Amino acid sequence: RQLKHPPATVRRVMECVQLILFESEVPGATGLPWSTCVRSIVKTDFLRKVRRYEIDQLAEKPMLVDHICCEYFAPSPASGLEPLRPERVKRASVAVVAFFGWTVALIAGVLPDWPEEIGGEEARQVIFAIEAERQKQVRKEVERKAEIAR
């Protein structure tokens, strides 16, 4: 389904994906245009790029990770936008839940290598908690599949 005007949560998750995959610098004050995200998403190699993305690429971009943490995962009353959380993402669109999990896993994977100033304490705690819960769900699913296979 084409989303010319997606819900804010869907847009924000896909902005995170766009930033991780294609941007090397923090966007300016005007932010990331939705049209830029859409152009990337509709390319035939988009999913391949997501699947093949190497965390080392993100490890070279601490300022970008800091931006994503602060703008998308920490509460920011000034922006008027709610921070991304699993429940909110799931309510907005089941289709972007996997992209949200991918984003969180990557960010949780690089944050421990940097000082706490990168990302901010609150966003770091949120990201680590979301990632721990995601890993717990993955383990449960693996166990469930193993039980079915027996």
Side-chain angles (χ1 to χ4, degrees), residues 45-56:
D45 65 342
F46 175 73
L47 289 177
R48 185 169 10 105
K49 286 185 183 213
V50 170
R51 278 191 238 109
R52 293 185 178 171
Y53 189 82
E54 294 289 333
I55 196 168
D56 296 342

Side-chain angles (χ1 to χ4, degrees), residues 1-7 10 34-35 38-39 41-42 93 95:
R1 177 170 114 181
Q2 186 180 17
L3 293 173
K4 290 185 181 185
H5 304 286
V10 171
W34 177 242
S35 59
V38 171
R39 275 195 303 277
I41 293 166
V42 299
S93 170

Side-chain angles (χ1 to χ4, degrees), residues 86 90 97-109 126-142:
K90 201 178 290 183
V97 169
F99 292 115
F100 178 71
W102 178 83
T103 300
V104 169
L106 285 172
I107 292 174
V126 166
I127 288 166
F128 292 142
I130 293 170
E131 178 60 6
E133 182 60 31
R134 190 189 70 77
Q135 288 180 359
K136 187 170 122 183
Q137 294 299 323
V138 167
R139 280 192 300 276
K140 280 184 182 178
E141 184 63 18
V142 167

